Amino acid sequence: MILRVAIPSPLHKLFDYLCPVELEGLAKPGMRIKVPFGSREIIGIVIDTDVHSDYSSKQLKTALMLLDADPVLDATQFWLARWAAHYYFYPEGEALQQALPVLLRKGQEPTFAHATLWRATAHATLSSLATSAKRQRELLELLLRNPQGVSTEAIKIEGFSTPLLKALADKHLAESFASHPRPYQFATGSETILKEAPLTLNEEQASALYSLLNPSHFHTLLLEGITGSGKTEVYLQAIEAILKVGKQALILVPEIGLTPQTLSRFKARFQVPVMALHSGLTDRQRLDAWLMARDGSARILIGTRSAIFTPMKNPGIIIVDEEHDPSFKQQEGFRYHARDLAVLRAKKEDIPLLLTTATPSLESLHNALDGRYQHLHLRQRAGNASAPKFKFLDIRGEALQAGMAPELIHHIRQHLSAQTQVLIFLNRRGFSPSLICHDCGAVNECTRCDARMTLHRSPAHMHCHHCDRQTPIPKRCHQCHSEDLRPSGAGTERTEEQLKSLFPNIPVLRIDRDSTSRKHALENMMKQIHTGQPCIMIGTQMLAKGHHFPRVTLVAVLDADAGLFSADFRGMEKTAQLILQVAGRAGRAELSGEVLLQTHHPDHPMLAALVTQGYEAFAKSELVLRQGAGLPPFHHHALIRAEASRQGWAEAFLRSIREAIETHLSLPPGNHWSGPFPSPMEKRAGLFRSQMLIQGRERRHLHTLLRMIMQEVEHNPMKNKVRWSIDVDPIDSY
């Protein structure tokens, strides 16, 4: 018998192994197997068994051992990971490994954490100890009260020492045992599911809930609701209905920063196990959550994009919150899009899929307009909240203080005087985007990237946000040796410093990747915000996503022009989404909200349309432009990226691929090449990058060309000098 195995390697192929006699009939697709690979022993996944191989039995190595009695990947996971590997042109072995928790990739058993607990022995009684052994008696009493066992940590917390425990063990009055905790099942009655009563839905919300649950089999619903319209309440009540019939719910959120907030909201509503799945968990925590999802005891699963590969025993619904967010697309390695895989998985599981957002991606909107998705709107804010009022601040010729116009500072003062909160949005970390010599104009640049170094003040250093290179702040100009170096432009740190000097008695909370890197930092800042006391929040797009700040009445966007003139055709779409998402943080409760947009282009047609007509009108006009230009979602894109240590190598590699195919093969119909050309940032992390864009009217013809490229690369003499990748359905050309 031949075992066909997917190996975690960059090779786009499966490997055949001879099956040991003792494993014949036992190996099944989805099981982990240890095999020899070169000079190593590694863990692969069984794909198939066969009696034939393209190689003779003398050429084949023998597999070593099976690690599982049953497939560790269920049928849906197995199918989804393999489909994604083929669609995104990623090695199958690597894709299947990424569908598993890290500990399973390392060969550990798929079992829950083992804990060592202590209990009293069967014959132990207090009378077994002398009355003078007071502390031993107290410890034994604790063990007798807890026959299910007590951990060593809990015993120490109660004030008992390890020698006391050993003394009881020596007298055969206490014993340790290994606990293998298995999560327990919950009843499905409504009285055990809910902790708090659901809110009353308005007519639009009730209609959306009915459409989502009827029919109960596969259909995709795009729920477009203005910020604060109660989209979350709709899917909370949908999940309640799913739980009542004993099924599970999977909710995908774009950022790890949103997970604690979402988790706490679900735990407050539901009296069932709610599990988080994200990169912030330890390997052990991730495996335990994965196992609880697989055996059905975790009823609600909340996670970032990789959670789409989590097994579910009784799947009932998949929800993608903020479906437009680019974080759902993996940008390195396995470049899958979790939203798109959610559609496939829901179809495979035959369950409803809900996509929610205030600003739909143009791909999802196009699917809705074409009738592939059901499209519902929530046009009114929940409760008595009213939509915020927008106002442009023309900053042409204005003297700005750390990026803020005098009129904006006046508005901030007014809102703080009314005992409310203010949110300042600036999508630039650090103190200043650049450090410039005032004498010769030289800019402090990264030596490894085509980018400027960002000045940070706490702690003081220069930082490249592209390759993570960090250096001390220079004392002299590297060109003219002048000591007159000045920060240019404002980042979140500089604006924070200015706000603290302008409003010394008001807390100023900076929320960006730097300030929230410490454990519980974001959580602590959120607690302070939710006290409702006046404060100023200054932050990046971390603040724009999903947060509910009932006391925020003023939102200010310091640079509304960012993205208006981007070379990326998605620049307008991303700018519009970001502005409306951050604007939606204002006036979400009974207090009215105001949004100020600082701009050098107050008459820009996109900004005007966005503010006066709303996102829907903007998106439809943008779709018309995309269709005329042959851009996604009307045409399909793939980027072939390459990078090398020497300038010109990557571009030459891509050019040789294109020339070879054009010379010897006929291009599939409807496909068009562009490039190769240098990437928008040609040099990054010391490597020179190039790319080639392929556009196609039909996916099947585009994939035919990509397969031709894969075959051509195998024979290309330059393939070992470059690192290359295929990005299907890219969301940026960066």
Side-chain angles (χ1 to χ4, degrees):
M1 182 184 282
I2 305 298
L3 298 176
R4 202 144 288 131
V5 179
I7 298 295
S9 81
L11 300 173
H12 291 257
K13 59 186 291 189
L14 301 177
F15 294 84
D16 288 356
Y17 286 88
L18 293 173
C19 181
V21 176
E22 65 272 15
L23 297 185
E24 286 191 10
L26 298 177
K28 295 182 179 62
M31 287 183 173
R32 295 172 301 156
I33 189 165
K34 186 176 282 188
V35 294
F37 191 74
S39 59
R40 298 176 295 146
E41 293 180 358
I42 62 175
I43 296 169
I45 303 290
V46 176
I47 297 296
D48 200 1
T49 58
D50 205 338
V51 292
H52 300 291
S53 173
D54 294 337
Y55 303 91
S56 69
S57 58
K58 292 180 180 178
Q59 292 176 286
L60 299 181
K61 295 181 178 180
T62 303
L64 300 174
M65 62 182 293
L66 276 173
L67 300 184
D68 305 305
D70 297 297
V72 72
L73 287 166
D74 66 26
T76 300
Q77 278 183 294
F78 188 65
W79 173 84
L80 187 65
R82 294 191 71 199
W83 187 96
H86 295 156
Y87 181 82
Y88 292 105
F89 290 87
Y90 192 68
E92 198 170 326
E94 294 275 10
L96 286 163
Q97 291 283 326
Q98 291 201 26
L100 291 173
V102 170
L103 293 182
L104 295 188
R105 297 178 212 169
K106 294 178 178 178
Q108 290 199 20
E109 290 184 23
T111 55
F112 290 94
H114 299 173
T116 300
L117 303 182
W118 287 85
R119 63 189 172 198
T121 55
H123 63 271
T125 62
L126 286 179
S127 59
S128 306
L129 291 168
T131 53
S132 58
K134 186 178 178 184
R135 292 293 288 162
Q136 289 185 30
R137 288 173 66 94
E138 288 174 355
L139 176 53
L140 182 57
E141 189 177 9
L142 173 68
L143 298 179
L144 289 168
R145 282 201 314 268
N146 296 278
Q148 75 280 4
V150 186
S151 69
T152 308
E153 292 76 15
I155 289 171
K156 288 179 180 177
I157 289 171
E158 291 291 331
F160 299 104
S161 63
T162 305
L164 273 176
L165 199 54
K166 188 176 183 303
L168 289 184
D170 290 343
K171 294 175 181 177
H172 304 290
L173 298 176
E175 62 184 6
S176 64
F177 66 99
S179 170
H180 310 280
R182 302 240 5 128
Y184 49 91
Q185 299 290 340
F186 278 65
T188 56
S190 59
E191 72 281 354
T192 62
I193 286 174
L194 292 180
K195 246 185 219 179
E196 62 179 22
L199 304 176
T200 303
L201 301 181
N202 60 34
E203 191 174 330
E204 286 182 332
Q205 290 173 308
S207 173
L209 178 62
Y210 179 82
S211 298
L212 179 56
L213 296 175
N214 296 279
S216 59
H217 53 74
F218 170 69
H219 65 290
T220 301
L221 187 102
L222 174 62
L223 182 59
E224 180 182 354
I226 62 171
T227 52
S229 58
K231 297 183 290 294
T232 306
E233 184 61 32
V234 171
Y235 70 68
L236 283 171
Q237 296 197 23
I239 290 169
E240 178 190 345
I242 293 296
L243 294 175
K244 284 181 180 177
V245 293
K247 294 188 175 181
Q248 296 166 282
L250 171 63
I251 301 95
L252 299 182
V253 294
E255 294 277 2
I256 186 175
L258 285 178
T259 312
Q261 173 186 308
T262 311
L263 202 61
S264 60
R265 185 163 186 180
F266 274 78
K267 286 184 174 179
R269 172 68 64 93
F270 296 109
Q271 195 164 281
V272 299
V274 181
M275 285 290 130
L277 297 152
H278 55 75
S279 58
L281 301 178
T282 65
D283 290 346
R284 184 69 248 177
Q285 288 171 327
R286 181 125 195 161
L287 176 56
D288 284 352
W290 188 90
L291 290 168
M292 288 183 71
R294 189 177 72 162
D295 74 9
S297 52
R299 305 291 300 284
I300 298 173
L301 308 164
I302 302 169
T304 46
R305 60 176 174 257
S306 61
I308 190 59
F309 294 110
T310 304
M312 288 192 284
K313 185 179 181 181
N314 301 301
I317 192 171
I318 298 176
I319 296 161
V320 182
D321 201 9
E322 309 290 355
E323 66 83 25
H324 68 279
D325 199 286
S327 301
F328 286 121
K329 178 76 156 78
Q330 175 85 13
Q331 294 287 55
E332 298 289 339
F334 190 9
R335 300 172 187 266
Y336 65 90
H337 201 305
R339 179 199 62 214
D340 298 345
L341 292 186
V343 177
L344 281 159
R345 179 167 183 180
K347 186 175 182 180
K348 182 77 172 175
E349 306 267 28
D350 197 24
I351 57 176
L353 170 69
L354 176 65
L355 308 175
T356 78
T357 179
T359 53
S361 64
L362 295 192
E363 285 79 7
S364 294
L365 186 59
H366 176 61
N367 282 329
L369 293 173
D370 270 9
R372 286 188 287 271
Y373 298 170
Q374 187 178 357
H375 192 190
L376 292 179
H377 293 83
L378 299 181
R379 302 185 190 276
Q380 62 187 80
R381 284 192 155 192
N384 299 317
S386 56
K389 294 182 174 63
F390 283 82
K391 181 181 179 181
F392 290 123
L393 291 185
D394 186 350
I395 57 174
R396 289 174 293 187
E398 290 280 354
L400 304 181
Q401 297 184 50
M404 297 178 290
E407 186 178 349
L408 170 59
I409 294 170
H410 172 70
H411 276 81
I412 294 173
R413 189 166 278 113
Q414 281 186 322
H415 282 263
L416 293 174
S417 299
Q419 299 297 297
T420 59
Q421 297 173 338
V422 173
L423 190 156
I424 310 292
F425 176 75
L426 177 61
N427 212 19
R428 282 197 298 269
R429 292 155 56 200
F431 184 83
S432 172
S434 56
L435 190 64
I436 295 180
C437 174
H438 193 58
D439 288 342
C440 74
V443 178
N444 189 259
E445 295 183 334
C446 178
T447 57
R448 303 181 71 232
C449 302
D450 292 335
R452 298 177 173 184
M453 299 283 280
T454 300
L455 172 64
H456 285 251
R457 284 280 178 86
S458 56
H461 69 289
M462 303 298 295
H463 197 147
C464 175
H465 292 155
H466 300 282
C467 70
D468 207 33
R469 178 172 177 260
Q470 300 179 42
T471 64
I473 298 174
K475 293 190 168 106
R476 293 181 180 82
C477 172
H478 63 281
Q479 283 192 2
C480 71
H481 307 293
S482 166
E483 295 186 3
D484 192 2
L485 300 179
R486 301 185 184 183
S488 175
T492 50
E493 284 184 23
R494 190 174 194 178
T495 307
E496 175 194 26
E497 185 179 273
Q498 184 66 32
L499 287 167
K500 283 181 175 178
S501 68
L502 289 169
F503 305 99
N505 299 320
I506 298 293
V508 178
L509 306 174
R510 175 167 57 89
I511 301 175
D512 56 26
R513 195 177 301 171
D514 301 312
S515 65
T516 58
S517 59
R518 296 179 302 279
K519 195 174 182 181
H520 304 307
L522 179 60
E523 188 181 339
N524 292 334
M525 281 191 273
M526 289 299 166
K527 283 179 183 175
Q528 186 172 351
I529 293 164
H530 288 301
T531 62
Q533 295 300 310
C535 70
I536 302 172
M537 291 165 259
I538 164 75
T540 58
Q541 58 185 331
M542 288 181 70
L543 278 175
K545 301 174 183 178
H547 296 291
H548 179 64
F549 302 129
R551 297 290 297 173
V552 169
T553 55
L554 173 64
V555 165
V557 179
L558 296 194
D559 186 8
D561 301 336
L564 289 183
F565 306 101
S566 170
D568 182 4
F569 71 87
R570 298 183 193 273
M572 288 285 200
E573 177 188 2
K574 292 175 181 176
T575 299
Q577 289 168 344
L578 202 50
I579 287 175
L580 288 185
Q581 288 287 336
V582 72
R585 304 312 112 200
R588 291 172 67 95
E590 67 279 357
L591 301 168
S592 59
E594 181 181 22
V595 180
L596 301 180
L597 305 176
Q598 287 194 163
T599 174
H600 287 95
H601 305 278
D603 301 321
H604 192 284
M606 191 280 276
L607 286 177
L610 196 62
V611 170
T612 58
Q613 300 173 48
Y615 182 80
E616 188 175 358
F618 156 77
K620 286 180 177 177
S621 65
E622 189 74 3
L623 279 173
V624 172
L625 294 174
R626 296 262 187 102
Q627 187 171 20
L631 294 169
F634 301 96
H635 280 58
H636 308 292
H637 280 186
L639 269 178
I640 317 299
R641 291 184 168 94
E643 56 187 25
S645 57
R646 289 183 60 176
Q647 193 167 18
W649 278 5
E651 200 166 339
F653 167 75
L654 294 178
R655 187 177 297 108
S656 67
I657 298 294
R658 176 173 176 172
E659 288 173 354
I661 290 176
E662 288 180 331
T663 303
H664 304 295
L665 301 167
S666 58
L667 215 60
N671 286 327
H672 173 70
W673 307 81
S674 297
F677 40 78
S679 299
M681 181 186 291
E682 184 180 9
K683 186 181 179 185
R684 186 184 183 205
L687 296 173
F688 295 92
R689 310 185 306 151
S690 186
Q691 59 192 32
M692 188 161 59
L693 175 66
I694 303 174
Q695 298 166 277
R697 285 196 300 269
E698 294 187 34
R699 287 189 196 276
R700 60 192 178 97
H701 293 318
L702 178 65
H703 275 64
T704 298
L705 177 54
L706 294 175
R707 281 191 289 272
M708 291 163 61
I709 289 171
M710 292 275 293
Q711 291 168 4
E712 184 56 41
V713 168
E714 288 299 313
H715 306 102
N716 192 288
M718 293 187 67
K719 70 176 183 179
N720 294 325
K721 293 182 179 181
V722 301
R723 188 164 60 193
W724 66 280
S725 65
I726 294 177
D727 189 358
V728 180
D729 303 331
I731 59 167
D732 65 43
S733 57
Y734 173 69

